Amino acid sequence: MSDENLAVGIIMGSRSDWPTLKATADVLDKLHVPYETKVVSAHRTPNRLYEYASTARERGLKVIIAGAGGAAHLPGMAASMTELPVLGVPVESKALKGLDSLLSIAQMPAGVPVGTLAIGKAGATNAGLLAAGILALGDERLAARLAAWRAEQTAGVHEAVEDNA
């Protein structure tokens, strides 16, 4: 989903991060939250990152979700270049299963906050929900859609272990 009423930017360090961050997009699609997706590497495309983050607010974004693996500098670097809330999604890495990504995102210095989510698809899903929750503070229709999503999730949890119990 993408249009002139963008609310959320989903950025990732490389195309290989998309299978994780697609969970973010799926949640935003279900909640009808407009977003854009971009590959913006902190290490390989620093000028693209600067342009993206420093112009995010004027382009209408309200939240940035940044997924990165390994050294995971993207969320923190983006946060240093914008006043918008930045949510960091640690992407699972081969070497350390995403622990390196998690620690790189979580250990931001005081004054440059990044909301850090869980490693992998669970974190990506929750980043979408958290972004929607932030936006819902000023959007009653989105708040209602988010409440309905949560109610549906709750209704899907069965009390009994077996269907016939």
Side-chain angles (χ1 to χ4, degrees):
M1 177 182 289
S2 183
D3 67 18
E4 67 279 353
N5 297 316
L6 292 175
V8 177
I10 302 172
I11 58 176
M12 60 210 80
S14 70
R15 285 181 169 181
S16 64
D17 298 336
W18 177 242
T20 298
L21 291 167
K22 185 174 182 323
T24 302
D26 290 344
V27 166
L28 295 175
D29 283 339
K30 287 178 186 170
L31 295 171
H32 305 288
V33 175
Y35 62 88
E36 66 181 10
T37 58
K38 301 272 185 214
V39 175
V40 181
S41 171
H43 302 114
R44 294 180 303 269
T45 64
N47 292 335
R48 186 184 305 168
L49 170 58
Y50 175 78
E51 177 68 22
Y52 186 88
S54 66
T55 65
R57 181 185 294 273
E58 67 189 54
R59 290 183 297 105
L61 294 181
K62 295 182 176 47
V63 179
I64 296 174
I65 297 171
H73 289 114
L74 183 61
M77 291 300 296
S80 75
M81 298 175 196
T82 185
E83 301 81 33
L84 296 177
V86 175
L87 307 177
V89 177
V91 175
E92 188 172 334
S93 59
K94 291 179 184 174
L96 297 173
K97 302 293 185 206
L99 183 59
D100 49 346
S101 312
L102 174 66
L103 295 175
S104 294
I105 297 170
Q107 294 299 315
M108 289 299 296
V112 186
V114 173
T116 307
L117 285 298
I119 297 168
K121 289 185 180 181
T125 298
N126 286 338
L129 291 168
L130 188 54
I134 292 168
L135 296 170
L137 292 171
D139 182 338
E140 289 300 319
R141 292 185 303 175
L142 176 56
R145 291 193 304 271
L146 185 56
W149 186 93
R150 288 183 179 216
E152 182 179 322
Q153 177 178 300
T154 299
V157 178
H158 300 287
E159 192 170 333
V161 176
E162 295 179 18
D163 288 336
N164 60 356

